[in-house]
């Protein structure tokens, strides 16, 4: 899919560039041709200004020309005709014209419906002027004009072809660079689907096995099969929790997760979340220390902030290790409320630390399964913090342990 998307990206870029170059090429050729035609018209007008029987003035280097006689540099000739169209005289400049070509040009110019135009069969431009004595027709050879246009077309084509080749490689590079986040997201999505399927498959397998055992002993009472029913219920609750977490993340991604914001006393929220964890910490032989500044308020959804605190405390108690220490601090720093949850125990490697907030990411598969997690808690915590316009980050080293820090705006 990524390769197909990359090819489509390059193709669209190339088509757009080709369209732009083609438009520029057409505009350039059209304006150049029009300018050349205007110059030719001016030359023909100057040629007709020469008095009958006169001559074109030659440019002289270092001297001024006479204003009453125009200078004509292009290959042009003028024919003077009577009222019947007979040639009385002709004046030629920078060109040699045979009598046959002169007669053909005069006849075609007289037959033309317009006083100005192009004789394509002779490759000439003409300008016809009628007066009391007859006609006066100026002709200009278009060879130089056509050579200039041909040279322009060839040069533009070569430049355009070179530009297309260069832009092809640029588009190829841009496709790899621009689609790298898409490729990474696609890979993460496939991994996410695989992990979610695996996590849902496990409790379903247990549920099906337990219900199969119960159905195979229909004659027994409910109380005698209580352990299978209890196990089924526990796995069902675990699966419900996983689905709820997945739905929350999906709604957060779609920005459809409603937040009921109010002025929340975060100090009270943290204290109320700490109390239930005292028994958990006691069972895990973990000591909890708290340094919570009183009356610190933020604007947010109290239920979500409570869930955020529970996730961080649960994570810290799970991985503090036996005889470990969990330290919770709440204070105002740099006009932001800062909640820090620190735990001793095994540290997180720098490589894993970069992905710690990704869904289903696990530093140690065995350890996470033993702790009963799915790898979604920290993703949900990050989503809650971001929805409150805050920041969350983690630090971990052997000397200081692991610390998760949350920054939230203070309420006015």
């Amino acid at each position: 899919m990524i390769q197909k998307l990359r090819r489509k990206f390059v193709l669209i870029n190339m088509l757009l560039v080709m369209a732009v170059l083609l438009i520029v090429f057409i505009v350039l050729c059209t304006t150049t041709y029009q300018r050349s035609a205007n110059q030719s018209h001016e030359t023909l007008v100057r040629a007709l200004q020469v008095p009958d029987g006169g001559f074109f003035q030659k440019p002289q280097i270092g001297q001024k020309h006479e204003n009453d006689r125009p200078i004509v540099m292009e290959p042009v000739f003028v024919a003077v005709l009577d009222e019947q169209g007979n040639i009385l005289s002709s004046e030629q400049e920078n060109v040699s014209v045979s009598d046959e070509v002169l007669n053909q040009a005069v006849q075609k110019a007289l037959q033309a419906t317009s006083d100005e135009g192009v004789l394509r069969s002779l490759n000439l431009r003409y300008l016809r002027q009628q007066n009391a004595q007859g006609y006066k027709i100026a002709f200009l050879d278009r060879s130089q004009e056509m050579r200039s246009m041909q040279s322009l077309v060839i040069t533009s084509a070569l430049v355009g072809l070179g530009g297309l080749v260069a832009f092809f490689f640029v588009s190829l590079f841009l496709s790899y660079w621009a689609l790298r986040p898409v490729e990474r997201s696609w890979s993460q999505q496939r991994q996410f689907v695989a992990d979610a399927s695996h996590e849902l498959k496990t409790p379903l397998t247990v549920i099906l096995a337990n219900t199969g055992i119960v159905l195979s002993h229909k004659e027994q009472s409910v109380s005698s099969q209580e352990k299978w029913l209890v196990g089924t219920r526990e796995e069902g609750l675990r699966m419900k929790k996983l689905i709820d977490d997945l739905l929350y993340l999906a709604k957060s991604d779609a920005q459809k997760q409603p937040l009921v914001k109010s002025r929340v006393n975060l100090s009270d929220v943290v204290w109320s979340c700490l109390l239930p964890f005292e028994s958990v910490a006691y069972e895990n032989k973990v000591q909890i220390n708290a340094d919570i500044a009183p009356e610190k308020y933020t604007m947010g959804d109290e239920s979500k902030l409570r869930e955020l605190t529970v996730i961080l405390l649960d994570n810290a108690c799970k991985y503090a290790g036996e005889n470990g220490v969990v330290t919770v601090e709440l204070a105002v720093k740099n006009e932001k409320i800062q909640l820090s949850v620190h735990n001793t125990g095994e540290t997180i490697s720098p490589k894993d630390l970069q992905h710690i907030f990704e869904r289903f990411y696990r530093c140690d598969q065995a350890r996470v399964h033993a702790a009963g997690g799915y790898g979604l808690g920290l993703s949900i915590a990050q989503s809650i913090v971001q929805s409150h316009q805050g920041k969350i980050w983690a630090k971990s080293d052997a000397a200081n342990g692991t610390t998760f820090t949350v920054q939230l705006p203070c309420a006015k």
Side-chain angles (χ1 to χ4, degrees), residues 14 41 58 78 114 119 138 144 189 193 229 258 313 317 319 382 398 403:
M14 294 301 296
H41 175 78
K58 305 289 185 182
V78 178
S114 175
L119 305 177
Q144 181 63 34
Q189 181 181 357
V193 172
L229 297 175
L313 289 172
C317 290
Y319 304 122
Q382 184 185 52
T403 304

Side-chain angles (χ1 to χ4, degrees), residues 139-174:
F139 300 92
L140 183 140
D141 184 59
R142 298 176 67 237
S143 299
Q144 181 63 34
E145 179 183 324
M146 298 306 296
R147 281 194 296 269
S148 298
M149 287 301 301
Q150 185 179 10
S151 176
L152 175 63
V153 171
I154 294 174
T155 302
S156 299
L158 291 176
V159 171
L161 182 61
L164 286 176
V165 172
F167 197 80
F168 171 77
F169 290 103
V170 172
S171 297
L172 203 59
F173 169 77
L174 287 176

Side-chain angles (χ1 to χ4, degrees), residues 341-399:
V341 180
H342 171 271
N343 66 272
T344 57
E346 294 183 28
T347 58
I348 305 172
S349 68
K351 177 183 176 182
D352 292 326
L353 206 59
Q354 298 175 2
H355 307 281
I356 197 69
F357 294 104
E358 295 178 4
R359 297 168 194 183
F360 290 110
Y361 186 82
R362 289 155 174 165
C363 305
D364 186 341
Q365 296 286 339
R367 188 180 73 166
V368 174
H369 278 300
Y374 292 112
L376 292 175
L378 292 177
S379 297
I380 294 174
Q382 184 185 52
S383 178
I384 294 173
V385 172
Q386 290 175 347
S387 66
H388 286 77
Q389 290 78 48
K391 296 179 181 179
I392 184 171
W393 66 90
K395 292 182 179 180
S396 184
D397 56 69

Side-chain angles (χ1 to χ4, degrees), residues 82-260:
D82 60 17
E83 294 182 353
Q84 287 73 34
N86 299 316
I87 301 175
L88 300 178
S89 63
S90 65
E91 176 70 24
Q92 303 175 9
E93 181 67 18
N94 301 326
V95 65
S96 176
V97 183
S98 65
D99 293 339
E100 181 182 359
V101 173
L102 178 62
N103 289 326
Q104 290 180 8
V106 169
Q107 291 301 320
K108 291 181 179 294
L110 288 175
Q111 294 172 2
T113 57
S114 175
D115 289 336
E116 181 180 5
V118 176
L119 305 177
R120 300 190 183 279
S121 60
L122 299 174
N123 199 28
L124 296 173
R125 285 189 180 275
Y126 73 90
L127 180 61
R128 186 177 65 198
Q129 185 182 75
Q130 188 176 7
N131 51 37
Q133 290 77 26
Y135 296 94
K136 193 173 184 181
I137 307 176
F139 300 92
L140 183 140
D141 184 59
R142 298 176 67 237
S143 299
Q144 181 63 34
E145 179 183 324
M146 298 306 296
R147 281 194 296 269
S148 298
M149 287 301 301
Q150 185 179 10
S151 176
L152 175 63
V153 171
I154 294 174
T155 302
S156 299
L158 291 176
V159 171
L161 182 61
L164 286 176
V165 172
F167 197 80
F168 171 77
F169 290 103
V170 172
S171 297
L172 203 59
F173 169 77
L174 287 176
S175 68
Y176 281 95
W177 178 76
L179 296 179
R180 193 177 301 162
V182 178
E183 188 173 4
R184 185 168 56 250
S185 297
W186 177 250
S187 176
Q188 290 175 346
Q189 181 181 357
R190 286 187 299 178
Q191 186 63 40
F192 175 81
V193 172
D195 290 341
S197 302
H198 174 74
E199 296 298 345
L200 289 171
K201 180 181 178 181
T202 302
L204 280 173
T205 302
V206 176
I207 290 172
L208 291 173
N210 289 347
T211 53
I213 294 172
V214 172
L215 290 173
S216 64
H217 299 85
K218 297 179 181 179
E219 70 282 357
Q220 296 184 7
S221 63
V222 174
S223 59
S224 63
Q225 303 192 68
E226 182 180 0
K227 64 176 181 179
W228 308 117
L229 297 175
V230 170
T232 300
R233 175 178 171 77
E234 289 177 352
E235 292 300 325
L237 292 174
R238 288 185 65 230
M239 190 163 61
K240 181 180 182 300
K241 177 65 168 60
L242 173 59
I243 293 173
D244 289 342
D245 290 345
L246 292 175
L247 286 175
Y248 176 82
L249 291 172
K251 290 180 180 179
S252 298
D253 290 342
Q255 297 182 346
K256 294 181 179 179
Q257 185 66 22
L259 288 179
V260 183

Side-chain angles (χ1 to χ4, degrees), residues 255-274:
Q255 297 182 346
K256 294 181 179 179
Q257 185 66 22
L259 288 179
V260 183
K261 286 191 175 183
S262 60
R263 195 166 182 265
V264 179
N265 188 334
L266 195 58
S267 302
D268 290 347
V269 169
V270 175
W271 273 120
S272 64
C273 292
L274 268 174

